[in-house]
Amino acid sequence: MGIAWDDYLVQVQDRGQYTTRREAERATRAVMTALGAHLVGAERRELSDQLPVQFQALLLDPLPATTPLSPPDFVEAVALLSGDVTPQTARWDASAVLSTLADLTDPELLRRILIQLPPGYAPLFGRTEPA
C-alpha cells in the first residue's frame, strides 16, 4: 500500500476527531492488535502486506483467538487494549481505525475479511454486511 504510517495516523486522527496524534496512535494500535487476533489465514497476511510496516507486528504477532468475538466483545477487547477506556470510546476508536482501513484496503480483500468475521462487523468498517 502506498500510505505511510504517519499519513495513516493523520487520517485516523481526522476521522476520529482526536486532538492529538498520540490518541490516534493509541486507538490504531489497540484496534489493529485486536483485529490481528481475529483474522486468520491469507487475509491476515494480505492485509499486513497492504499496510505500512508498523502494522505487521500489530496484525501478525497476536496469538489467534480461540473463539470469534461478536462486535460488542471486540469493542470490549479494544477498550482493554487501550488502557481500559470506556466502551463508547472504544467503539469510536474501532470505527475510526477500521473505516480508515476499509477506505485504503483492496475491496476484494475487505470483502473476504468481513466474511471471515462474525456478522455485525461491517458497520465498524463503515460498510454494509457483505452478501
Side-chain angles (χ1 to χ4, degrees), residues 27-110:
T28 298
R29 288 185 179 283
V31 171
M32 296 308 254
T33 299
L35 182 63
H38 290 87
L39 292 180
V40 296
E43 288 77 16
R44 188 178 185 192
R45 171 55 71 186
E46 278 184 61
L47 182 60
S48 171
D49 289 346
Q50 287 190 17
L51 296 170
V53 69
Q54 291 88 340
F55 283 98
Q56 288 181 353
L58 299 174
L59 287 169
L60 301 176
D61 286 353
L63 293 174
T66 56
T67 59
L69 290 180
S70 68
D73 290 338
F74 178 83
V75 168
E76 186 177 314
V78 169
L80 293 172
L81 288 165
S82 291
D84 218 18
V85 300
T86 67
Q88 294 83 2
T89 298
R91 182 158 193 354
W92 184 268
D93 292 347
S95 183
V97 173
L98 294 176
S99 63
T100 300
L101 176 75
D103 288 348
L104 300 171
T105 301
D106 172 69
E108 174 57 24
L109 174 58
L110 181 61

